[in-house]
Amino acid sequence: MKKRGYEIFEFKFKDIFSKEVISIYARTQDTAEVILDYYNECNDARYERKFFGFKKKVFVDIEPETYELQQKDTAEQELIFRKQILKRR
């Protein structure tokens, strides 16, 4: 029997200027919004909740907590990079 993996939600957010869509995978909407705050800070893009297709249940192979932490770490690293660029200006 095939293992389905771990249940998690995909939350989609859209940049209000460029219409770029990003997906954040989290167990709760609150967690997804915490990760999103890193993307919105010191950024020209402003991501907001997508009106249609905002939340979708998906299955992943790694533990949801690990997946959330990886996304948070990536967002933090990108924020640090953006802040360094702003300091150089």
Side-chain angles (χ1 to χ4, degrees), residues 42-72:
C42 297
N43 197 354
D44 292 335
R46 176 59 66 201
Y47 293 100
E48 291 186 352
R49 180 180 169 173
K50 196 168 180 235
F51 192 71
F52 292 107
F54 169 65
K55 182 178 177 182
K56 176 181 162 185
K57 187 188 300 184
V58 295
F59 292 91
V60 294
D61 293 334
I62 60 176
E63 292 182 14
E65 184 177 332
T66 304
Y67 206 5
E68 291 169 348
L69 288 173
Q70 286 175 345
Q71 292 177 102
K72 185 178 175 200

Side-chain angles (χ1 to χ4, degrees), residues 13-22 45 47:
F13 298 91
K14 183 166 45 172
D15 177 20
I16 60 175
F17 303 114
S18 70
K19 308 301 183 208
E20 174 189 8
V21 176
I22 62 169
Y47 293 100

